[in-house]
Every structure is written in structure tokens, then in C-alpha cells.
């Protein structure tokens, strides 16, 4: 089996024949779901995983997470630094715990600050906050820590919020009518109130935005950006690296200022990294400004830019971008490819690097120094059956079958086209000049019904549902039908069941089928249990050649040294 695949299994009692049946499933790594890219979700139970509709990974090392299910339940897991899991305590957990205060609230989005603190947005436009609160970043009017999610009141109580964003210690909210509110740490003007005093409750960001409609917001570590409905961009806060895009890196901005370097283009999306910014235009062009010591602007060098400059000009039309204030990594997606640049797992990449990924989330899961989600993962629920689901249902379906395979008087309903696509043995069998191609019923006698059914079901589903004691016969089938992947999978199943009584038989079988990996495994097991194995009937039944060869190899390994 290739290194890209792994084996998982589940054993249960078959109620029909009272035998233990083990389902062995080949899972591609990473899995088909976005969640499989994130280590923190490795222990999620399959039942919960299937229900997740929204996921957010945060924390210094991507070691905290929040999940929302299709049943509107909210779960948290991870280190729980500063109570950021919202469980009412600071005890970490590897397994999801229900966040009662958020369940049933219709959570639509999360955002988080590196302080750390967390905001949640509901489908009714309400904002909940919790976590560290040294700078009043929770917006509750006091600086006491918040271990439980609490609704942010003040001016937001009567407004519908559509988007939230966080810097390291400040929070920003956008309402449905295009107004911006900020609160929290404000030492560099990042709240946009016109002062440098911390703001304990939400205050509206006015000045040049008073009569303008904002459609999107983004936060750097200590800076804020707003995108207007006409495509203009305004920025405020800390500007030591030119991340405000205002033409200098000296003056902090206490109120929103127009980014003149973007005049003449219509920006449709803005994203902020730790100390840099990206802007995507309606023509698919990408602009960047701010710090560039890690190559995060993608210019091919490491010089900062205090004004927006066009970047990533050689990758084609860009359709989406990603950055986050936890990291100095940038990513962009064209229609067919995903690119990344900046600080990628400690490496400095100064120009867009093509990746094999299909989503921007994969860049952050695999290469960001802090493995966090740049925005919550939205898991789409299928509105119709997938190809995999359809094939699974088609197996042994008499209504759609065009071929019946009879084994030991029992029928298995299959489809010739699927067998030909999935198996070389059947592809040869159903050639025009073979009589089998004309038959609607095919009787097979070489293997037992349980083994043949398990094999055919495997062709439809990539899963093996079979009693463990049938694995040896299934290995015979895999060898006869030249199914190399199935053969390797059978070897893994047999390894799981090796014991003193059967290891000699499996050793002999491995030699017969030229299964070198299984032979080595059994040989090492025999060496470790030589006295007990040598007294079994299976050991006595070894043919003379195999017996002699085993004894010689055991001697060479030093088993008989005194």
C-alpha cells in the first residue's frame, strides 16, 4: 500500500451469523474532508466529524479548535489557554466538549485574536466574546477574564452584525448597514476612535467613514482595514512597517485614512497578515503592501513597501486570497491552482510558489508556522449523492445489476462495467471473444461466498467487510487475481491477527504468495516466541524445505546461541 493511504478498522458482531466482522477501510491521507488536514481533529469520532458544518482552528500552534454541527451544537477542544474554549475553565481537552452557551445560537462565524480572545457571530447578528480581556478586547465594559461566551452589548445590542475581525488585542465589528465598531487595545489607534485610549465597549468608527458604507473588514496584529462598497480601502492603527499603505512607515493613524495607492482599481477583498496586507481587485489582480522581510508580499525580494504594489503578476487571474495576523504567509488561488509565499514552515519564499493543493486552507494547515485557519472552514453538505455513495448503493442491487455472480448457491448482483473498470481479472474475462461476456449469470467456484462477496464489495467501496478468519483465503484471491493493493491490505489484516498458533502457517503462506513484508513480520514474531511456536501443530506441519530454511535463518539470527 502506498504511503499516501492508511488502514483503519472497526470490529462488530454480525447479527445474522453471530461472527465478528471487521471492516477494513483504506483512507487516503489526507482525507477527503478539509478537517483531515488539521492535526487537532485527528481524534474526532466519525459520527461527530460527519456532522461538522463549521470549524475554526486557532492558538499559537493551532492547538485549539471550535466546531459547529448541523444540529447547531458547538464543541471545543485543545489547550484552552486563557479559557478560549469557552468551557468556563482553563482545562485542556483532546476530545470535544460541548459549549453550552453557544449551542442553539445559530453560530455562523468565528474570529480570534492572538492575545488570545475569541468572537462568535450568530445568524441573528449577535456577537459573543470570551478569553483574555486585559485590554477590554471582549467589549464587556471591564477587563476581567471571560471564561464563558457572553454577548457583546452596548451599541451592538440593537444592531445586526454581519462580520467580525480581531487583531492581537482589539476587536472590530461590521453591521448590515455598513457601520464599523471597534473596542479593545488602542495604543496605536487600531480601534479607530481618534485617541490612543483603550476602548472597553464598542464605539463606532466615524470620521471619514461616517457617511460611507463598509462591506468588509480585516485586522492585522495592531492595524485595521475597511473595504467600501465602491472598492476603496481605508486603514488605521500601527504603521511601523507601512502596513497601512499610506506612503510612510512613521505615522500611526488614529482614524481611518484613504489608501490612495489603490486609486483606479476596484478592490473586492482585503486580507491582513501579521504586518502586511493583500488586496484583490475585480480584474483578478493582486496588490500587497507592508512588511516583506519574510517575502510575504511575493515581490521576489524582501524589501518592505509602504504603498500598494502589484504582486504575483505571473500566476494568472487570481480568484481568492488568504492571510492572517498570526502568520507571515500569503496564499492565492487562481481558477486551477493554489500558490503560497512568505514564511512557509520557517523558509522564506519571496515569489509565489505553486502547490499541489486545491484550497487555501491546505496552505495554512501544512505550511503556516502557526497552523490556524485564516477564516473558518465551511463544510458544504451534499445536496445529492456523490459518485462514491452511488457506487456503494449499487453493490448487490438486483434492480440495476446486469450480472449475477453465483457462489455456493448464493447470488451477488453486480455490474460488468464496474468490474471491468476496477479489476484487470474481470476486464480480461469480459472480452468479446470470451463466453463469459455473453452470460447474465456467472458461477464461480474457486473461492467461498464470504470471500468473493467481500472482494466484490471492495471493488465498489474500497472497504473490506470480512471475518478475520477469511483473510487468508482473501489473500489467495488477491494473489490469483493480481490485485496488488488488496494483497497488501490482506497482509495488514493478517498481521493484526498473528499469534503463536498461526504464525507458522502464515509464514509458509507468505513464502507461497511472495509476500515479503508479511514473511519478515512472521519471521520476527517466530524469533521472539521460538520456544512456544516450535511446540505448535502448525510448526510441525511445515514442509521440509520451509522448515529447514526457517531453522537456518533463525540460527543466523542467533536464536540458538547459549
Amino acid at each position: 500500500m502506498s504511503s499516501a493511504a492508511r488502514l483503519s478498522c472497526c470490529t462488530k458482531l454480525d447479527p445474522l451469523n453471530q461472527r465478528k466482522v471487521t471492516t477494513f477501510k483504506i483512507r487516503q491521507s489526507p482525507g477527503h474532508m478539509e478537517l483531515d488536514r488539521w492535526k487537532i481533529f485527528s481524534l474526532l469520532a466519525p459520527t461527530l466529524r460527519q456532522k461538522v458544518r463549521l470549524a475554526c482552528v486557532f492558538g499559537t500552534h493551532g492547538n485549539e479548535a471550535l466546531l459547529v454541527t448541523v444540529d447547531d451544537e458547538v464543541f471545543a477542544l485543545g489547550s484552552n489557554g486563557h479559557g478560549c474554549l469557552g468551557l468556563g475553565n482553563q482545562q485542556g481537552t483532546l476530545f470535544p466538549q460541548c459549549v453550552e452557551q453557544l449551542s442553539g445560537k445559530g453560530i455562523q462565524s468565528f474570529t480570534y485574536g492572538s492575545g488570545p480572545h475569541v468572537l462568535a457571530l450568530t445568524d441573528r447578528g449577535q456577537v459573543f466574546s470570551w478569553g483574555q480581556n486585559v485590554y477590554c478586547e471582549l467589549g464587556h465594559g471591564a477587563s476581567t477574564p471571560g471564561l464563558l461566551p457572553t454577548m457583546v452589548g452596548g451599541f451592538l445590542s440593537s444592531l445586526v452584525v454581519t462580520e467580525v475581525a480581531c487583531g492581537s488585542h482589539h476587536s472590530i465589528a461590521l453591521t448590515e448597514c455598513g457601520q464599523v465598531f471597534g473596542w479593545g487595545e488602542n495604543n496605536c489607534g487600531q480601534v479607530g476612535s481618534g485617541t490612543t485610549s483603550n476602548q472597553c465597549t464598542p464605539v463606532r468608527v466615524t470620521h471619514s467613514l461616517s457617511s460611507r458604507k463598509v462591506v468588509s473588514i480585516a485586522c492585522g496584529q495592531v492595524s485595521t482595514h475597511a473595504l467600501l462598497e465602491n472598492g476603496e480601502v481605508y486603514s488605521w492603527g500601527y504603521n511601523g512597517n507601512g502596513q497601512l499603505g499610506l506612503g510612510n512607515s512613521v505615522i500611526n493613524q488614529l482614524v481611518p485614512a484613504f489608501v490612495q495607492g489603490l486609486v483606479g482599481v476596484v478592490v473586492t477583498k482585503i486580507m491582513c497578515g501579521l504586518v502586511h496586507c493583500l488586496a484583490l481587485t475585480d480584474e483578478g489582480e493582486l496588490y500587497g503592501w507592508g512588511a516583506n522581510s519574510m517575502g510575504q508580499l511575493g515581490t521576489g525580494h524582501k524589501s518592505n513597501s509602504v504603498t500598494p504594489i502589484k504582486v504575483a503578476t505571473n500566476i494568472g487571474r487570481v480568484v481568492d486570497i488568504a492571510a492572517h495576523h498570526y502568520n507571515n504567509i500569503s496564499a492565492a488561488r487562481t481558477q486551477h491552482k493554489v500558490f503560497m509565499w512568505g514564511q512557509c514552515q520557517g523558509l522564506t519564499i519571496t515569489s509565489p510558489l505553486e502547490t499541489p493543493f486545491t484550497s487555501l486552507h491546505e496552505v495554512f494547515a501544512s505550511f503556516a508556522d502557526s497552523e490556524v485557519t485564516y477564516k473558518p472552514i465551511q463544510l458544504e453538505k451534499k445536496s445529492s449523492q456523490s459518485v462514491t455513495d452511488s457506487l456503494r448503493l449499487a453493490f448487490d442491487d438486483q434492480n440495476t445489476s446486469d450480472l449475477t455472480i453465483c457462489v455456493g448457491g448464493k447470488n451477488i448482483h453486480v455490474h460488468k462495467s464496474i468490474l471491468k473498470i476496477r479489476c484487470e481479472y474481470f476486464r480480461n474475462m469480459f472480452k468479446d471473444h470470451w463466453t463469459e461476456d455473453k452470460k447474465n449469470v456467472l458461477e464461480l467456484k474457486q473461492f467461498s461466498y464470504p470471500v468473493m462477496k467481500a472482494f466484490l464489495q471492495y471493488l465498489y467501496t474500497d472497504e473490506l467487510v470480512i471475518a478475520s478468519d477469511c483473510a487468508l483465503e482473501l489473500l489467495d484471491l488477491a494473489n490469483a487475481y493480481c490485485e496488488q493493493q488488496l494483497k497488501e491490505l490482506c497482509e495488514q489484516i493478517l498481521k493484526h491477527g498473528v499469534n503463536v498458533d498461526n504464525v507458522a502457517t502464515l509464514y509458509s503462506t507468505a513464502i507461497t504468495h511472495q509476500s515479503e513484508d508479511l514473511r519478515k513480520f512472521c519471521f520476527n514474531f517466530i524469533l521472539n516466541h521460538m520456544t512456544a511456536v516450535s511446540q505448535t501443530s502448525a510448526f510441525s506441519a511445515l514442509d521440509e524445505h520451509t522448515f529447514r530454511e526457517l531453522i537456518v535463518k533463525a540460527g543466523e539470527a542467533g536464536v540458538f546461541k547459549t
Side-chain angles (χ1 to χ4, degrees):
M1 185 175 298
S2 70
S3 60
R6 61 180 183 270
L7 177 71
S8 61
C9 63
C10 176
T11 301
K12 61 183 179 180
L13 189 67
D14 187 337
L16 295 179
N17 55 28
Q18 296 300 304
R19 301 173 72 191
K20 285 186 176 180
V21 174
T22 303
T23 300
F24 293 88
K25 183 176 182 180
I26 302 172
R27 292 186 59 208
Q28 296 303 316
S29 178
H32 299 297
M33 292 181 64
E34 293 265 23
L35 295 186
D36 291 340
R37 286 288 187 183
W38 307 87
K39 290 182 290 187
I40 194 168
F41 298 132
S42 300
L43 299 180
L44 280 190
T47 51
L48 176 58
R49 181 186 293 263
Q50 293 299 321
K51 290 184 176 182
V52 174
R53 66 169 174 83
L54 185 73
C56 178
V57 180
F58 57 102
T60 305
H61 302 291
N63 54 1
E64 296 176 291
L66 292 159
L67 301 169
V68 184
T69 71
V70 293
D71 301 322
D72 205 20
E73 292 183 297
V74 179
F75 293 90
L77 67 156
S79 63
N80 204 14
H82 296 276
C84 281
L85 296 188
L87 299 173
N89 56 57
Q90 296 187 50
Q91 298 174 358
T93 173
L94 290 175
F95 299 96
Q97 303 292 320
C98 185
V99 184
E100 300 289 349
Q101 281 72 17
L102 296 178
S103 294
K105 295 293 194 302
I107 300 300
Q108 296 299 305
S109 184
F110 294 105
T111 187
Y112 50 89
S114 54
H117 70 290
V118 186
L119 304 182
L121 179 64
T122 75
D123 55 6
R124 297 173 59 187
Q126 299 170 324
V127 179
F128 287 78
S129 63
W130 65 98
Q132 182 173 280
N133 196 31
V134 175
Y135 302 96
C136 297
E137 52 263 57
L138 301 187
H140 298 152
S143 58
T144 54
L147 298 181
L148 290 171
T150 304
M151 192 169 74
V152 179
F155 288 110
L156 296 186
S157 299
S158 59
L159 298 172
V160 176
V161 175
T162 57
E163 187 178 357
V164 285
C166 291
S168 55
H169 297 286
H170 75 288
S171 305
I172 301 292
L174 173 66
T175 70
E176 64 177 351
C177 57
Q179 297 175 342
V180 177
F181 289 80
W183 62 94
E185 186 180 29
N186 195 34
N187 60 323
C188 299
Q190 57 264 46
V191 168
S193 63
T195 73
T196 56
S197 300
N198 294 345
Q199 182 64 39
C200 295
T201 56
V203 60
R204 186 180 172 191
V205 181
T206 54
H207 300 281
S208 53
L209 298 183
S210 295
S211 59
R212 315 294 296 278
K213 183 175 182 179
V214 175
V215 295
S216 186
I217 51 176
C219 291
Q221 188 177 38
V222 283
S223 62
T224 308
H225 284 70
L227 174 62
L228 275 57
E229 62 179 343
N230 65 354
E232 294 179 347
V233 176
Y234 282 74
S235 61
W236 59 96
Y238 180 66
N239 196 34
N241 296 278
Q243 59 262 56
L244 300 186
L246 302 177
N248 67 79
S249 59
V250 179
I251 305 172
N252 294 339
Q253 191 68 35
L254 306 186
V255 296
F258 177 49
V259 181
Q260 296 185 7
L262 293 172
V263 169
V265 300
V266 177
V267 175
T268 57
K269 188 169 189 176
I270 49 173
M271 298 294 290
C272 293
L274 184 71
V275 282
H276 79 288
C277 293
L278 300 175
L280 177 63
T281 75
D282 62 349
E283 295 183 290
E285 295 178 329
L286 185 58
Y287 288 79
W289 61 94
N292 196 30
S293 60
M294 298 295 176
Q296 56 264 54
L297 296 186
T299 56
H301 55 74
K302 295 192 286 186
S303 300
N304 294 356
S305 179
V306 297
T307 56
I309 54 174
K310 192 180 296 186
V311 298
T313 56
N314 61 340
I315 67 174
R317 186 187 182 100
V318 177
V319 298
D320 201 4
I321 55 176
H324 192 273
H325 75 269
Y326 263 49
N327 290 289
N328 287 309
I329 193 171
S330 302
R333 181 169 62 86
T334 64
Q335 186 175 0
H336 302 293
K337 298 177 181 178
V338 171
F339 296 82
M340 67 180 185
W341 59 94
Q343 191 172 17
C344 303
Q345 282 294 328
L347 297 176
T348 298
I349 307 298
T350 60
S351 297
L353 176 69
E354 183 180 335
T355 74
F357 304 140
T358 57
S359 79
L360 297 175
H361 282 298
E362 293 176 279
V363 171
F364 282 76
S366 302
F367 282 94
D369 283 3
S370 293
E371 298 170 9
V372 299
T373 48
Y374 73 97
K375 68 175 183 179
I377 303 171
Q378 296 276 357
L379 295 170
E380 295 182 4
K381 296 305 171 184
K382 295 174 290 187
S383 58
S384 60
Q385 288 180 354
S386 66
V387 173
T388 301
D389 293 333
S390 297
L391 286 176
R392 187 184 304 276
L393 292 173
F395 174 68
D396 208 14
D397 181 5
Q398 188 173 2
N399 294 324
T400 62
S401 167
D402 61 358
L403 175 68
T404 299
I405 292 181
C406 183
V407 183
K410 297 180 180 180
N411 294 331
I412 309 170
H413 303 286
V414 293
H415 307 75
K416 288 183 182 179
S417 58
I418 293 176
L419 299 189
K420 287 193 288 186
I421 290 171
R422 291 281 287 147
C423 178
E424 182 70 27
Y425 177 85
F426 287 114
R427 193 152 49 246
N428 290 327
M429 176 182 289
F430 297 128
K431 288 183 177 179
D432 291 339
H433 59 278
W434 282 44
T435 58
E436 284 83 353
D437 188 51
K438 310 299 181 184
K439 294 180 179 180
N440 295 322
V441 178
L442 185 64
E443 187 172 358
L444 299 179
K445 300 179 180 180
Q446 187 177 0
F447 301 102
S448 67
Y449 171 80
V451 167
M452 181 55 66
K453 184 176 181 180
F455 170 60
L456 294 172
Q457 187 171 7
Y458 160 79
L459 295 180
Y460 279 72
T461 66
D462 261 352
E463 295 178 2
L464 285 178
V465 181
I466 190 169
S468 300
D469 57 7
C470 292
L472 194 57
E473 185 185 354
L474 188 63
L475 177 62
D476 289 336
L477 182 151
N479 196 61
Y481 286 12
C482 299
E483 288 287 327
Q484 182 61 32
Q485 187 177 41
L486 179 61
K487 180 179 176 181
E488 293 173 5
L489 183 57
C490 289
E491 290 173 1
Q492 291 193 46
I493 297 172
L494 292 170
K495 287 179 186 179
H496 293 166
V498 165
N499 55 45
V500 168
D501 292 323
N502 66 18
V503 67
T505 300
L506 293 179
Y507 178 78
S508 178
T509 299
I511 294 174
T512 300
H513 294 311
Q514 299 180 330
S515 302
E516 184 62 18
D517 191 48
L518 179 60
R519 186 199 68 77
K520 289 181 180 179
F521 183 89
C522 291
F523 178 73
N524 288 332
F525 188 94
I526 292 171
L527 293 186
N528 293 331
H529 304 274
M530 177 58 80
T531 300
V533 171
S534 65
Q535 297 174 12
T536 64
S537 57
F539 187 82
S540 301
L542 289 174
D543 66 81
E544 183 178 354
H545 176 75
T546 302
F547 177 80
R548 288 177 177 275
E549 182 183 67
L550 175 59
I551 294 300
V552 170
K553 289 182 179 293
E556 292 173 348
V559 170
F560 305 117
K561 289 183 179 180
T562 57

